[in-house]
Amino acid sequence: MAEIIQKDGTWTFDGDTVRIVPGSDKSVSLLRQTLGEVAVPLNALAGISFEPGKKSGRLRLRLRNGADPLLQITGGKLEDSSDPYRLTVENDRTGVAEYFVDEVRNALLLDQVQTGPVDTYLVPGPALPITVGAGDGTATFDGERIRLEWNWKTEESKSSGGARSVALEDVEAVEWLPSAGLENGYLRFRVTKAGSPPPPKYDPYAVELWGFRKDPLMALVGAAVTARMPHPYAPQDALPPPAPSSDDHDALLRRLRELGELHQAGILTEEEFTTAKRAVLKRL
């Protein structure tokens, strides 16, 4: 098992799953603390990298498009400090970080994991129930209904209608946008047959965000809802997943032979061949 422990968090890899536990240091973002441990299966990964720096390096996981509902809803707009797939590494642990990268890359090579998009969420998303208060309201989701409640800062025309409760099946889209400069952000739930929505300040199905500390947490509510909606890349006539193959043992033996041929052809080094062979034997 590969493991790296830093103030920013702890990452472990057992050959099948990368487990990410946020650190308790005050520099760790509120979003990562609230999200807690994240288990990323190997087949959800598109890659991993380590970027060295003058004072510290950075370990990054790259997930396949569509694998994580949090990344799906934030669309690359999540700040680095709130990114659960980023780990700050002190320079004296560079060797450990590079070893971690090698272990994950060897496993991706061995399992021949594809890097393209997926049509089902492979990371489950935030735990339920979840409640977050930020901006002009509080959003709660229990897996079946979303409840939006307003505070004293809410525009009167929006709060006068009282709290809103929306069934999951009535939500056709979830939108999240962080505040930037003078532009406010929002978390919006587009409701079936609601028509074109007004600006978030007046939209009874949106929480307006003003750039304060708790704003990123609204992305977790959006991700929790998104994880339980139809996947955007799923085919319309998707069939049930096939039953697990009964010839896994034979497939692993074939993989061993392939590795031997790659080693003899000089494509795999002795070290790469030994590492890959050991991983196959563990599965037999």
Side-chain angles (χ1 to χ4, degrees), residues 251-273:
L252 290 172
L253 290 177
R254 287 196 301 272
R255 185 58 180 155
L256 274 176
R257 287 195 294 271
E258 290 171 1
L259 290 171
E261 292 170 359
L262 291 171
H263 179 229
Q264 290 179 357
I267 297 173
L268 291 180
T269 66
E270 182 68 32
E271 182 179 356
E272 289 171 336
F273 171 66

PDB file of all heavy atoms in Angstrom, residues 251-273:
ATOM      1  N   ALA A 251      -8.510 -14.317 -17.283  1.00  0.00           N
ATOM      2  CA  ALA A 251      -8.107 -13.003 -17.795  1.00  0.00           C
ATOM      3  C   ALA A 251      -6.817 -12.536 -17.132  1.00  0.00           C
ATOM      4  O   ALA A 251      -5.947 -11.953 -17.786  1.00  0.00           O
ATOM      5  CB  ALA A 251      -9.218 -11.986 -17.551  1.00  0.00           C
ATOM      6  N   LEU A 252      -6.681 -12.801 -15.831  1.00  0.00           N
ATOM      7  CA  LEU A 252      -5.465 -12.407 -15.125  1.00  0.00           C
ATOM      8  C   LEU A 252      -4.263 -13.215 -15.617  1.00  0.00           C
ATOM      9  O   LEU A 252      -3.151 -12.690 -15.745  1.00  0.00           O
ATOM     10  CB  LEU A 252      -5.645 -12.588 -13.620  1.00  0.00           C
ATOM     11  CG  LEU A 252      -6.614 -11.600 -12.947  1.00  0.00           C
ATOM     12  CD1 LEU A 252      -6.861 -11.998 -11.508  1.00  0.00           C
ATOM     13  CD2 LEU A 252      -6.071 -10.185 -13.015  1.00  0.00           C
ATOM     14  N   LEU A 253      -4.476 -14.496 -15.899  1.00  0.00           N
ATOM     15  CA  LEU A 253      -3.386 -15.310 -16.434  1.00  0.00           C
ATOM     16  C   LEU A 253      -2.952 -14.798 -17.813  1.00  0.00           C
ATOM     17  O   LEU A 253      -1.751 -14.752 -18.125  1.00  0.00           O
ATOM     18  CB  LEU A 253      -3.827 -16.778 -16.526  1.00  0.00           C
ATOM     19  CG  LEU A 253      -4.016 -17.511 -15.188  1.00  0.00           C
ATOM     20  CD1 LEU A 253      -4.531 -18.912 -15.430  1.00  0.00           C
ATOM     21  CD2 LEU A 253      -2.707 -17.551 -14.398  1.00  0.00           C
ATOM     22  N   ARG A 254      -3.928 -14.414 -18.631  1.00  0.00           N
ATOM     23  CA  ARG A 254      -3.590 -13.856 -19.933  1.00  0.00           C
ATOM     24  C   ARG A 254      -2.808 -12.559 -19.779  1.00  0.00           C
ATOM     25  O   ARG A 254      -1.870 -12.289 -20.524  1.00  0.00           O
ATOM     26  CB  ARG A 254      -4.867 -13.597 -20.749  1.00  0.00           C
ATOM     27  CG  ARG A 254      -5.539 -14.850 -21.286  1.00  0.00           C
ATOM     28  CD  ARG A 254      -6.535 -14.520 -22.387  1.00  0.00           C
ATOM     29  NE  ARG A 254      -7.581 -13.623 -21.925  1.00  0.00           N
ATOM     30  CZ  ARG A 254      -8.709 -14.049 -21.359  1.00  0.00           C
ATOM     31  NH1 ARG A 254      -8.923 -15.350 -21.170  1.00  0.00           N
ATOM     32  NH2 ARG A 254      -9.624 -13.187 -20.979  1.00  0.00           N
ATOM     33  N   ARG A 255      -3.200 -11.761 -18.772  1.00  0.00           N
ATOM     34  CA  ARG A 255      -2.507 -10.493 -18.527  1.00  0.00           C
ATOM     35  C   ARG A 255      -1.054 -10.736 -18.116  1.00  0.00           C
ATOM     36  O   ARG A 255      -0.154 -10.006 -18.525  1.00  0.00           O
ATOM     37  CB  ARG A 255      -3.243  -9.696 -17.444  1.00  0.00           C
ATOM     38  CG  ARG A 255      -2.660  -8.302 -17.190  1.00  0.00           C
ATOM     39  CD  ARG A 255      -2.669  -7.480 -18.442  1.00  0.00           C
ATOM     40  NE  ARG A 255      -2.113  -6.154 -18.215  1.00  0.00           N
ATOM     41  CZ  ARG A 255      -1.560  -5.404 -19.137  1.00  0.00           C
ATOM     42  NH1 ARG A 255      -1.485  -5.843 -20.386  1.00  0.00           N
ATOM     43  NH2 ARG A 255      -1.079  -4.212 -18.855  1.00  0.00           N
ATOM     44  N   LEU A 256      -0.832 -11.808 -17.339  1.00  0.00           N
ATOM     45  CA  LEU A 256       0.539 -12.150 -16.951  1.00  0.00           C
ATOM     46  C   LEU A 256       1.386 -12.476 -18.183  1.00  0.00           C
ATOM     47  O   LEU A 256       2.548 -12.054 -18.294  1.00  0.00           O
ATOM     48  CB  LEU A 256       0.537 -13.342 -15.989  1.00  0.00           C
ATOM     49  CG  LEU A 256       0.346 -13.049 -14.493  1.00  0.00           C
ATOM     50  CD1 LEU A 256       0.281 -14.346 -13.719  1.00  0.00           C
ATOM     51  CD2 LEU A 256       1.461 -12.156 -13.960  1.00  0.00           C
ATOM     52  N   ARG A 257       0.797 -13.230 -19.098  1.00  0.00           N
ATOM     53  CA  ARG A 257       1.522 -13.576 -20.326  1.00  0.00           C
ATOM     54  C   ARG A 257       1.824 -12.322 -21.155  1.00  0.00           C
ATOM     55  O   ARG A 257       2.922 -12.181 -21.707  1.00  0.00           O
ATOM     56  CB  ARG A 257       0.709 -14.583 -21.156  1.00  0.00           C
ATOM     57  CG  ARG A 257       0.689 -16.001 -20.577  1.00  0.00           C
ATOM     58  CD  ARG A 257       0.191 -16.999 -21.601  1.00  0.00           C
ATOM     59  NE  ARG A 257      -1.204 -16.776 -21.938  1.00  0.00           N
ATOM     60  CZ  ARG A 257      -2.229 -17.326 -21.289  1.00  0.00           C
ATOM     61  NH1 ARG A 257      -1.997 -18.133 -20.264  1.00  0.00           N
ATOM     62  NH2 ARG A 257      -3.457 -17.090 -21.667  1.00  0.00           N
ATOM     63  N   GLU A 258       0.852 -11.409 -21.215  1.00  0.00           N
ATOM     64  CA  GLU A 258       1.055 -10.166 -21.965  1.00  0.00           C
ATOM     65  C   GLU A 258       2.193  -9.342 -21.362  1.00  0.00           C
ATOM     66  O   GLU A 258       3.023  -8.779 -22.088  1.00  0.00           O
ATOM     67  CB  GLU A 258      -0.235  -9.334 -21.966  1.00  0.00           C
ATOM     68  CG  GLU A 258      -1.350  -9.940 -22.792  1.00  0.00           C
ATOM     69  CD  GLU A 258      -2.668  -9.195 -22.597  1.00  0.00           C
ATOM     70  OE1 GLU A 258      -2.673  -8.204 -21.839  1.00  0.00           O
ATOM     71  OE2 GLU A 258      -3.677  -9.602 -23.197  1.00  0.00           O
ATOM     72  N   LEU A 259       2.214  -9.283 -20.021  1.00  0.00           N
ATOM     73  CA  LEU A 259       3.273  -8.530 -19.350  1.00  0.00           C
ATOM     74  C   LEU A 259       4.636  -9.136 -19.644  1.00  0.00           C
ATOM     75  O   LEU A 259       5.624  -8.423 -19.859  1.00  0.00           O
ATOM     76  CB  LEU A 259       3.016  -8.491 -17.834  1.00  0.00           C
ATOM     77  CG  LEU A 259       1.831  -7.636 -17.373  1.00  0.00           C
ATOM     78  CD1 LEU A 259       1.566  -7.863 -15.891  1.00  0.00           C
ATOM     79  CD2 LEU A 259       2.103  -6.162 -17.634  1.00  0.00           C
ATOM     80  N   GLY A 260       4.700 -10.476 -19.649  1.00  0.00           N
ATOM     81  CA  GLY A 260       5.956 -11.141 -19.961  1.00  0.00           C
ATOM     82  C   GLY A 260       6.427 -10.821 -21.376  1.00  0.00           C
ATOM     83  O   GLY A 260       7.622 -10.583 -21.603  1.00  0.00           O
ATOM     84  N   GLU A 261       5.502 -10.793 -22.314  1.00  0.00           N
ATOM     85  CA  GLU A 261       5.857 -10.480 -23.692  1.00  0.00           C
ATOM     86  C   GLU A 261       6.329  -9.038 -23.823  1.00  0.00           C
ATOM     87  O   GLU A 261       7.288  -8.749 -24.557  1.00  0.00           O
ATOM     88  CB  GLU A 261       4.645 -10.724 -24.598  1.00  0.00           C
ATOM     89  CG  GLU A 261       4.262 -12.193 -24.710  1.00  0.00           C
ATOM     90  CD  GLU A 261       2.926 -12.398 -25.400  1.00  0.00           C
ATOM     91  OE1 GLU A 261       2.289 -11.370 -25.772  1.00  0.00           O
ATOM     92  OE2 GLU A 261       2.495 -13.562 -25.543  1.00  0.00           O
ATOM     93  N   LEU A 262       5.652  -8.097 -23.102  1.00  0.00           N
ATOM     94  CA  LEU A 262       6.061  -6.692 -23.128  1.00  0.00           C
ATOM     95  C   LEU A 262       7.458  -6.519 -22.535  1.00  0.00           C
ATOM     96  O   LEU A 262       8.261  -5.715 -23.013  1.00  0.00           O
ATOM     97  CB  LEU A 262       5.046  -5.831 -22.366  1.00  0.00           C
ATOM     98  CG  LEU A 262       3.667  -5.679 -23.006  1.00  0.00           C
ATOM     99  CD1 LEU A 262       2.719  -4.986 -22.050  1.00  0.00           C
ATOM    100  CD2 LEU A 262       3.773  -4.891 -24.312  1.00  0.00           C
ATOM    101  N   HIS A 263       7.749  -7.316 -21.471  1.00  0.00           N
ATOM    102  CA  HIS A 263       9.062  -7.235 -20.828  1.00  0.00           C
ATOM    103  C   HIS A 263      10.149  -7.770 -21.775  1.00  0.00           C
ATOM    104  O   HIS A 263      11.220  -7.149 -21.940  1.00  0.00           O
ATOM    105  CB  HIS A 263       9.039  -8.035 -19.524  1.00  0.00           C
ATOM    106  CG  HIS A 263      10.348  -8.025 -18.796  1.00  0.00           C
ATOM    107  ND1 HIS A 263      10.952  -9.168 -18.329  1.00  0.00           N
ATOM    108  CD2 HIS A 263      11.179  -7.012 -18.484  1.00  0.00           C
ATOM    109  CE1 HIS A 263      12.091  -8.854 -17.747  1.00  0.00           C
ATOM    110  NE2 HIS A 263      12.249  -7.551 -17.817  1.00  0.00           N
ATOM    111  N   GLN A 264       9.878  -8.895 -22.398  1.00  0.00           N
ATOM    112  CA  GLN A 264      10.854  -9.483 -23.312  1.00  0.00           C
ATOM    113  C   GLN A 264      11.111  -8.585 -24.520  1.00  0.00           C
ATOM    114  O   GLN A 264      12.219  -8.538 -25.058  1.00  0.00           O
ATOM    115  CB  GLN A 264      10.371 -10.851 -23.789  1.00  0.00           C
ATOM    116  CG  GLN A 264      10.392 -11.915 -22.687  1.00  0.00           C
ATOM    117  CD  GLN A 264       9.890 -13.259 -23.185  1.00  0.00           C
ATOM    118  OE1 GLN A 264       9.469 -13.383 -24.328  1.00  0.00           O
ATOM    119  NE2 GLN A 264       9.945 -14.263 -22.326  1.00  0.00           N
ATOM    120  N   ALA A 265      10.077  -7.836 -24.926  1.00  0.00           N
ATOM    121  CA  ALA A 265      10.225  -6.943 -26.083  1.00  0.00           C
ATOM    122  C   ALA A 265      10.913  -5.631 -25.708  1.00  0.00           C
ATOM    123  O   ALA A 265      11.185  -4.806 -26.584  1.00  0.00           O
ATOM    124  CB  ALA A 265       8.852  -6.653 -26.692  1.00  0.00           C
ATOM    125  N   GLY A 266      11.182  -5.445 -24.412  1.00  0.00           N
ATOM    126  CA  GLY A 266      11.867  -4.237 -23.977  1.00  0.00           C
ATOM    127  C   GLY A 266      10.956  -3.048 -23.763  1.00  0.00           C
ATOM    128  O   GLY A 266      11.423  -1.936 -23.505  1.00  0.00           O
ATOM    129  N   ILE A 267       9.624  -3.258 -23.854  1.00  0.00           N
ATOM    130  CA  ILE A 267       8.674  -2.156 -23.656  1.00  0.00           C
ATOM    131  C   ILE A 267       8.540  -1.821 -22.178  1.00  0.00           C
ATOM    132  O   ILE A 267       8.423  -0.654 -21.800  1.00  0.00           O
ATOM    133  CB  ILE A 267       7.302  -2.518 -24.264  1.00  0.00           C
ATOM    134  CG1 ILE A 267       7.453  -2.710 -25.780  1.00  0.00           C
ATOM    135  CG2 ILE A 267       6.257  -1.449 -23.965  1.00  0.00           C
ATOM    136  CD1 ILE A 267       6.221  -3.224 -26.463  1.00  0.00           C
ATOM    137  N   LEU A 268       8.567  -2.852 -21.325  1.00  0.00           N
ATOM    138  CA  LEU A 268       8.534  -2.664 -19.877  1.00  0.00           C
ATOM    139  C   LEU A 268       9.918  -2.889 -19.304  1.00  0.00           C
ATOM    140  O   LEU A 268      10.596  -3.854 -19.669  1.00  0.00           O
ATOM    141  CB  LEU A 268       7.542  -3.636 -19.219  1.00  0.00           C
ATOM    142  CG  LEU A 268       6.051  -3.428 -19.474  1.00  0.00           C
ATOM    143  CD1 LEU A 268       5.250  -4.489 -18.738  1.00  0.00           C
ATOM    144  CD2 LEU A 268       5.602  -2.046 -19.035  1.00  0.00           C
ATOM    145  N   THR A 269      10.351  -2.003 -18.396  1.00  0.00           N
ATOM    146  CA  THR A 269      11.621  -2.215 -17.709  1.00  0.00           C
ATOM    147  C   THR A 269      11.453  -3.344 -16.695  1.00  0.00           C
ATOM    148  O   THR A 269      10.329  -3.779 -16.400  1.00  0.00           O
ATOM    149  CB  THR A 269      12.064  -0.940 -16.985  1.00  0.00           C
ATOM    150  OG1 THR A 269      11.128  -0.659 -15.928  1.00  0.00           O
ATOM    151  CG2 THR A 269      12.126   0.246 -17.931  1.00  0.00           C
ATOM    152  N   GLU A 270      12.586  -3.797 -16.149  1.00  0.00           N
ATOM    153  CA  GLU A 270      12.538  -4.853 -15.133  1.00  0.00           C
ATOM    154  C   GLU A 270      11.700  -4.427 -13.942  1.00  0.00           C
ATOM    155  O   GLU A 270      10.883  -5.197 -13.414  1.00  0.00           O
ATOM    156  CB  GLU A 270      13.969  -5.195 -14.681  1.00  0.00           C
ATOM    157  CG  GLU A 270      14.035  -6.320 -13.656  1.00  0.00           C
ATOM    158  CD  GLU A 270      13.637  -7.663 -14.251  1.00  0.00           C
ATOM    159  OE1 GLU A 270      13.893  -7.888 -15.451  1.00  0.00           O
ATOM    160  OE2 GLU A 270      13.043  -8.483 -13.518  1.00  0.00           O
ATOM    161  N   GLU A 271      11.878  -3.170 -13.520  1.00  0.00           N
ATOM    162  CA  GLU A 271      11.132  -2.674 -12.357  1.00  0.00           C
ATOM    163  C   GLU A 271       9.647  -2.573 -12.654  1.00  0.00           C
ATOM    164  O   GLU A 271       8.801  -2.969 -11.842  1.00  0.00           O
ATOM    165  CB  GLU A 271      11.670  -1.299 -11.949  1.00  0.00           C
ATOM    166  CG  GLU A 271      10.995  -0.710 -10.712  1.00  0.00           C
ATOM    167  CD  GLU A 271      11.561   0.646 -10.329  1.00  0.00           C
ATOM    168  OE1 GLU A 271      12.539   1.091 -10.978  1.00  0.00           O
ATOM    169  OE2 GLU A 271      11.029   1.260  -9.397  1.00  0.00           O
ATOM    170  N   GLU A 272       9.282  -2.067 -13.845  1.00  0.00           N
ATOM    171  CA  GLU A 272       7.874  -1.949 -14.213  1.00  0.00           C
ATOM    172  C   GLU A 272       7.232  -3.333 -14.322  1.00  0.00           C
ATOM    173  O   GLU A 272       6.086  -3.537 -13.889  1.00  0.00           O
ATOM    174  CB  GLU A 272       7.742  -1.205 -15.541  1.00  0.00           C
ATOM    175  CG  GLU A 272       8.075   0.276 -15.447  1.00  0.00           C
ATOM    176  CD  GLU A 272       8.137   0.937 -16.818  1.00  0.00           C
ATOM    177  OE1 GLU A 272       8.383   0.227 -17.819  1.00  0.00           O
ATOM    178  OE2 GLU A 272       7.945   2.163 -16.889  1.00  0.00           O
ATOM    179  N   PHE A 273       7.972  -4.277 -14.902  1.00  0.00           N
ATOM    180  CA  PHE A 273       7.445  -5.630 -15.047  1.00  0.00           C
ATOM    181  C   PHE A 273       7.212  -6.273 -13.682  1.00  0.00           C
ATOM    182  O   PHE A 273       6.162  -6.884 -13.436  1.00  0.00           O
ATOM    183  CB  PHE A 273       8.419  -6.479 -15.866  1.00  0.00           C
ATOM    184  CG  PHE A 273       8.070  -7.942 -15.903  1.00  0.00           C
ATOM    185  CD1 PHE A 273       6.910  -8.386 -16.528  1.00  0.00           C
ATOM    186  CD2 PHE A 273       8.890  -8.882 -15.289  1.00  0.00           C
ATOM    187  CE1 PHE A 273       6.583  -9.728 -16.557  1.00  0.00           C
ATOM    188  CE2 PHE A 273       8.570 -10.224 -15.308  1.00  0.00           C
ATOM    189  CZ  PHE A 273       7.414 -10.657 -15.943  1.00  0.00           C
TER     190      PHE A 273
END
